[in-house]
Amino acid sequence: MGRQRGGPVIELRNCSKRYPSQLGQAAVDALEGVDLTIRPEEFVCLLGPSGCGKTTLLKAIAGLVSLDEGEVYIDGDLVTGPGPDRAMVFQDFALLPWADVVTNVAFGLELRGVPKATREKKAFELVQAVGLAGFDHHFPRQLSGGMQQRVGLARALAVDPQILLMDEPFGALDALTRRLLQEDLLTLLDRRRKTVVFVTHSMDEAVRLGDRVVLMTPRPGQVRDIVEVGLPRPRPPDLEKHPRFAELLEYLWQQLREMRP
Amino acid sequence: MNYALNGRLGTGRLAKRTTRAGLQALSLATFALGWELLARRLDSLLLPGFVETIAALVRLLTTSLLWEAVWLSNQAMVLGFSLAAVFGILLGLLMGRWRPAARYLDPYLNILLATPKAALIPIVIMATGLGLLSRVLITFSYALVVITINVRAGLSLIDPGWIEMSRSFGATESQLWRKVFIRGAFPAILTGLRLGLARAVSGMITVELLLVALGLGRLILDFQGRFDSGRLYATVLVVVAEAVALLQLFRWLERRVAPWAGNGVDR
């Protein structure tokens, strides 16, 4: 590991969430009795088929979803809503179409009342860091999907959170763009040291990025297994050739196959 | 290489714009010529030629008669439209974000939308008399609905994802309103105001023609009664010019403050 540093611990205790039945649809047990502890500066991937409640779990940590039972604690403090220690990256990017790249990246800081000059300076730095130099005054609709998510990532990093919550951030991107963004994400985090909770339905992505993979079952969403990845960091470019990589993928695939309804 | 390319693109765009302006000028010139020829051929007292109308317009513009009428008419229009803007935006925001309000107010909005508003004029005048108030209320009722509907439609385009994103960064309720709802609905609000203004102008003229003989409406009726077709046409031209100028002003404003909206719905 070698990453025992400061930073908060995230603790999920007996978390349950049920979405009530709506017209023509049965009630859904999104989460049932989930216990999980995430260590400081750890990169945890929540992996599971669609509808297994992994996004609900992430939003519970973000303070955007209220649980029916159980609690989320960050460094021992009960989570009751969003907070400055956390920032989120969204699957559909959630960029404001009327704002240019710099204004979008600075939006989190703007909401926190940071003066315009300060926040734009910070945003400008992050636009460079995520590889979008020269696109400061482009609007979202002028950017490709991959570039839009770079903006989303820069917006989250701009508020300098201790915890980065990522909800299938690369799910909407093509395979090549996805790989590039995975590599760039790891490089960015190398220099920043954050706790990351990353939701994905790609086994490959979970193993490439995570320190641990939390495997979840669908309906009710429960933790089925937690796997230590144990691959070297920084991750080598030829990670596929590592025997552990193939072994992990095989194991995860077996597990997921057994879950098939 | 690069410069040459840029240069060509630049002149290309300019050429396109010049062509468009040229075609529009040609269209207006054809219309004026057709009008003049038709008038000469008919040689009737009832249809003045284009040249005669323009001459009458120039004479009218130098008299206080026209300017007093413009001033009188526009008082009611400006007051009625401003009221409609304030209430229309507030109602639209309320109905767009709060479902019970939408349910409660929908019938009234639909009634106002469906009723020929000229039918309301006698009622308003019976209730409030022939003064400024009745004319303000009528221009108000002409403009209100279209503003409300556009503001509400603008809010329906707000992506729930933007709201969740803002909340995740700790947005307060008032920040959400200012930085997401109103900001996001801004192009639609401007479109609503532009269309509302057009309605207000038509409300202003309608009431003056139908019941309260005053201002521009009264001028039109007077010239009609005296078979002074030159000045009659000239006055109508003034009304048209005012409406077109106001709409163009708003369109220009829309493009300036909402460049991200690109090609709007209504152009």
Side-chain angles (χ1 to χ4, degrees):
Chain A
M1 288 271 94
R3 300 183 79 194
Q4 300 307 333
R5 287 261 191 126
V9 182
I10 306 170
E11 275 182 281
L12 303 159
R13 287 188 207 151
N14 190 34
C15 294
S16 297
K17 175 74 183 177
R18 161 180 267 248
Y19 290 107
S21 60
Q22 287 185 329
L23 278 177
Q25 283 183 320
V28 175
D29 288 307
L31 293 174
E32 196 175 272
V34 173
D35 286 300
L36 181 66
T37 302
I38 296 168
R39 303 187 283 255
E41 290 183 16
E42 187 180 25
F43 196 128
V44 167
C45 291
L46 304 179
L47 175 68
S50 19
C52 72
K54 45 198 194 306
T55 293
T56 303
L57 196 61
L58 191 78
K59 286 184 179 169
I61 301 173
L64 291 170
V65 156
S66 62
L67 294 164
D68 297 327
E69 263 177 72
E71 300 93 26
V72 179
Y73 294 92
I74 292 176
D75 256 0
D77 294 327
L78 182 67
V79 167
T80 54
D85 51 348
R86 283 153 287 156
M88 193 148 168
V89 180
F90 297 84
Q91 181 176 14
D92 58 359
F93 321 136
L95 302 181
L96 303 174
W98 55 83
D100 63 12
V101 167
V102 165
T103 314
N104 263 299
V105 172
F107 191 63
L109 295 168
E110 183 183 343
L111 291 174
R112 284 168 200 187
V114 176
K116 190 170 167 122
T118 319
R119 68 178 188 246
E120 289 194 342
K121 185 164 169 284
K122 178 87 185 165
F124 183 74
E125 287 166 18
L126 274 151
V127 169
Q128 307 264 325
V130 297
L132 286 178
F135 289 93
D136 309 76
H137 298 297
H138 280 59
F139 287 91
R141 70 187 161 99
Q142 298 171 302
L143 304 178
S144 69
M147 293 163 91
Q148 292 194 36
Q149 194 55 296
R150 286 172 191 274
V151 177
L153 182 60
R155 177 178 59 197
L157 291 174
V159 296
D160 204 11
Q162 293 171 299
I163 300 168
L164 200 55
L165 304 170
M166 307 185 78
D167 183 14
E168 298 195 33
F170 309 144
L173 307 176
D174 66 82
L176 176 66
T177 310
R178 189 173 190 155
R179 281 291 297 276
L180 287 171
L181 270 154
Q182 288 168 354
E183 282 186 10
D184 288 354
L185 173 66
L186 289 182
T187 314
L188 280 164
L189 290 174
D190 251 1
R191 268 174 280 146
R192 281 164 227 267
R193 313 227 145 218
K194 307 211 176 285
T195 307
V196 183
V197 187
F198 190 105
V199 168
T200 180
H201 55 246
S202 156
M203 298 178 289
D204 178 271
E205 185 166 69
V207 172
R208 271 176 202 287
L209 298 177
D211 295 317
R212 278 194 299 167
V213 177
V214 176
L215 203 60
M216 292 181 68
T217 59
R219 287 180 199 129
Q222 287 174 322
V223 175
R224 180 186 176 100
D225 197 1
I226 299 178
V227 183
E228 290 280 350
V229 172
L231 285 163
R233 283 218 194 263
R235 296 279 153 90
D238 55 349
L239 193 69
E240 300 85 350
K241 295 191 184 128
H242 205 287
R244 176 80 182 144
F245 183 79
E247 192 188 316
L248 281 166
L249 283 190
E250 180 58 25
Y251 176 75
L252 291 172
W253 173 233
Q254 293 295 338
Q255 297 283 313
L256 283 166
R257 199 156 53 181
E258 278 170 34
M259 273 183 223
R260 199 168 48 175
Chain B
M1 235 4 228
N2 225 333
Y3 285 104
L5 193 67
N6 279 336
R8 250 180 40 217
L9 275 179
T11 47
R13 197 169 298 162
L14 190 68
K16 213 178 247 176
R17 203 175 286 174
T18 320
T19 318
R20 197 205 289 170
L23 279 174
Q24 285 178 349
L26 188 67
S27 157
L28 287 176
T30 315
F31 176 73
L33 187 70
W35 177 0
E36 183 67 25
L37 288 176
L38 184 70
R40 289 197 181 184
R41 201 181 151 76
L42 291 177
D43 195 20
S44 155
L45 203 65
L46 301 179
L47 181 63
F50 176 71
V51 178
E52 190 187 337
T53 305
I54 295 298
L57 178 63
V58 171
R59 266 180 279 121
L60 255 186
L61 287 174
T62 57
T63 61
S64 62
L65 190 67
L66 177 76
W67 295 111
E68 272 164 22
V70 168
W71 165 243
L72 210 58
S73 292
N74 278 287
Q75 275 179 328
M77 201 276 285
V78 168
L79 286 172
F81 170 72
S82 307
L83 274 177
V86 173
F87 280 93
I89 290 173
L90 288 177
L91 272 180
L93 291 176
L94 187 70
M95 292 177 79
R97 289 303 311 165
W98 199 42
R99 204 169 287 246
R103 297 259 156 84
Y104 186 80
L105 292 169
D106 250 337
Y108 302 103
L109 209 62
N110 283 328
I111 289 170
L112 261 181
L113 189 65
T115 321
K117 271 163 284 296
L120 295 178
I121 295 179
I123 298 177
V124 174
I125 288 178
M126 281 245 284
T128 58
L130 293 167
L132 181 64
L133 179 63
S134 62
R135 287 181 299 133
V136 169
L137 281 177
I138 286 159
T139 46
F140 169 80
S141 76
Y142 265 70
L144 180 72
V145 183
V146 71
I147 298 176
T148 308
I149 286 174
N150 269 279
V151 174
R152 184 185 176 186
L155 281 181
S156 73
L157 296 178
I158 301 291
D159 187 334
W162 303 336
I163 303 170
E164 186 169 60
M165 180 276 292
S166 306
R167 288 227 161 91
S168 82
F169 284 103
T172 62
E173 224 22 60
S174 101
Q175 282 178 323
L176 264 183
W177 276 98
R178 280 181 290 129
K179 294 178 194 286
V180 181
F181 297 145
I182 294 177
R183 190 68 219 268
F186 207 57
I189 294 176
L190 282 180
T191 304
L193 290 180
R194 170 159 61 81
L195 298 176
L197 193 59
R199 300 287 164 90
V201 172
S202 95
M204 151 187 113
I205 297 298
T206 311
V207 66
E208 289 170 0
L209 285 177
L210 279 183
L211 278 170
V212 191
L214 242 170
L216 287 166
R218 174 171 187 177
L219 272 192
I220 291 174
L221 290 173
D222 273 1
F223 295 142
Q224 183 201 20
R226 284 191 242 151
F227 288 91
D228 188 345
S229 55
R231 286 204 284 177
L232 171 62
Y233 274 60
T235 313
V236 173
L237 271 189
V238 169
V239 175
V240 171
E242 179 184 339
V244 171
L246 286 172
L247 291 197
Q248 288 302 328
L249 177 74
F250 256 81
R251 235 174 230 190
W252 174 80
L253 258 178
E254 263 171 78
R255 267 184 230 143
R256 262 198 75 112
V257 292
W260 74 87
N263 290 329
V265 190
D266 181 278
R267 282 214 149 194

